Amino acid sequence: MSERRACTVLGCCRMTMRYQGSRTDDIDLRDRMKAIAHERRRFGYRRLHVLLRREGYVVNHKRLFRMYREEKLSVRRRGCRKRALGTRAPMVIPIAPNERWSLDFVSDQLTDGRRFRVLTVVDDCTRECLALIADTSLSGLRVARELETLMTTRGKPKMIVSDNGTEFTSNAILGFADRHKVDWHYIAPGKPMQNAFIESFNGRLRDEMLNETLFPSLSYARIALREWRADYNGNRPHSRLGWLTPAEYATTFTPRRDLALRSIANSTPAPVFHQAQQGQNNPRSLRHAG
């Protein structure tokens, strides 16, 4: 069968059958595209197209995309951002003030819908709320500055515990920890129970204050947080502290009390009871015996 008759039967144009492709492979273009892609590994084909056009290569973006796929230069998506990993070693409960501080953020909004954040700082031993810093934006530099201000009145902690948020893993925080020789501990990603002290405090803060108060302005929120912090430290009894307030519990760690306890421990203990006479009851000895 002739070509003319075969094209008639198939309904195909003879020009299509006789067409000879004139497209070149453009070895130079491929090599240059691969070189730029290896140099700029996170650039896609659109940015490569712009760079090639700057160098004088005239090529359609669709054709460049076909070559881009053939060379398998597609940019891989990152699974997740890099995080500061915590340790698996269990953290011991601190037995003295300033042994360990816990940090975290709590968010809320004003009555006009604007969001603001609150930096919460808690002493894990005394359960005192050391700071409630409210602002619309709290960067790592601001956190480091607030911690330095707090250390001038409170003293330097031995360890600070936080999650691996961007504010706590910034260069400002790393420089702060290195400058003041503070051990900064990051909890494991997705494990807020490893920072249970601050998580429990944040729950009390949200339940007793944030959910019960409307904030018309940021200045009003700061005043309300300052008053609530004073009430929490001075008036609110804490169940884990024997129903003492955090401020009352903190006074048990004063040097004067430690000295008194040591002197009592080193002295001769008082008798539990006094010897009574034969056939008589001694009320005082009964009281001592309990």
Side-chain angles (χ1 to χ4, degrees):
M1 185 181 294
S2 64
E3 180 183 327
R4 184 189 302 272
R5 189 171 181 181
C7 290
T8 302
V9 172
L10 296 176
C12 178
C13 181
R14 292 175 61 196
M15 294 179 60
T16 304
M17 298 300 300
R18 294 187 177 187
Y19 176 77
Q20 299 292 332
S22 59
R23 184 171 58 189
T24 59
D25 195 20
D26 290 337
I27 302 299
D28 295 339
L29 178 61
R30 281 181 182 267
D31 293 341
R32 185 54 187 160
M33 179 186 64
K34 290 191 291 184
I36 298 177
H38 287 300
E39 181 182 356
R40 310 274 188 170
R41 296 185 300 171
R42 303 304 300 176
F43 279 14
Y45 80 97
R46 296 183 185 275
R47 295 182 185 275
L48 296 181
H49 185 224
V50 174
L51 295 179
L52 289 172
R53 288 180 56 184
R54 289 179 181 176
E55 296 182 4
Y57 292 94
V58 180
V59 58
N60 185 274
H61 71 279
K62 293 182 288 186
R63 181 184 177 192
L64 183 68
F65 178 68
R66 177 182 57 82
M67 299 169 59
Y68 182 81
R69 294 292 297 272
E70 290 176 355
E71 298 295 336
K72 298 180 180 180
L73 299 176
S74 300
V75 179
R76 295 182 179 181
R77 291 179 176 266
R78 299 189 185 274
C80 60
R81 62 183 177 86
K82 188 180 296 184
R83 296 175 180 267
L85 299 180
T87 60
R88 288 182 174 269
M91 298 183 63
V92 297
I93 298 177
I95 59 175
N98 283 353
E99 275 198 7
R100 191 172 72 211
W101 292 358
S102 294
L103 276 66
D104 202 1
F105 286 105
V106 179
S107 62
D108 208 326
Q109 65 179 5
L110 305 177
T111 54
D112 57 3
R114 290 184 298 163
R115 305 290 298 182
F116 69 93
R117 307 179 74 191
V118 181
L119 171 66
T120 57
V121 186
V122 172
D123 190 307
D124 291 352
C125 176
T126 63
R127 308 299 202 277
E128 291 177 285
C129 176
L130 305 182
L132 290 176
I133 310 300
D135 209 333
T136 54
S137 177
L138 292 169
S139 62
L141 186 61
R142 173 72 180 280
V143 173
R145 186 169 67 249
E146 295 293 345
L147 289 177
E148 289 180 346
T149 303
L150 182 60
M151 286 168 51
T152 58
T153 58
R154 177 74 182 187
K156 186 179 72 173
K158 296 181 180 179
M159 177 185 292
I160 296 179
V161 183
S162 71
D163 57 17
N164 39 46
T166 56
E167 298 86 357
F168 299 137
T169 58
S170 62
N171 291 332
I173 293 297
L174 297 179
F176 163 83
D178 182 67
R179 185 168 58 254
H180 294 280
K181 307 301 180 183
V182 176
D183 185 13
W184 199 289
H185 177 84
Y186 294 103
I187 64 174
K191 300 291 183 180
M193 68 286 296
Q194 295 182 4
N195 202 6
F197 292 100
I198 196 68
E199 293 293 339
S200 176
F201 173 80
N202 290 344
R204 304 286 76 76
L205 173 64
R206 184 168 297 281
D207 182 58
E208 300 176 10
M209 196 270 179
L210 297 180
N211 291 347
E212 299 293 325
T213 311
L214 294 176
F215 305 106
S217 64
L218 187 60
S219 59
Y220 180 87
R222 289 170 176 168
I223 295 174
L225 287 170
R226 183 168 62 248
E227 293 177 351
W228 186 87
R229 172 176 169 267
D231 181 74
Y232 177 88
N233 289 334
N235 300 323
R236 183 185 183 278
H238 202 292
S239 60
R240 299 297 296 178
L241 303 179
W243 300 110
L244 296 175
T245 65
E248 291 173 345
Y249 185 71
T251 59
T252 64
F253 293 93
T254 57
R256 180 178 300 176
R257 178 178 174 85
D258 295 340
L259 182 61
L261 290 176
R262 286 195 298 268
S263 61
I264 293 174
N266 296 330
S267 61
T268 303
V272 177
F273 65 93
H274 296 275
Q275 186 176 2
Q277 296 181 2
Q278 186 72 21
Q280 294 182 2
N281 293 332
N282 191 336
R284 184 180 179 184
S285 64
L286 293 177
R287 286 197 301 269
H288 275 273

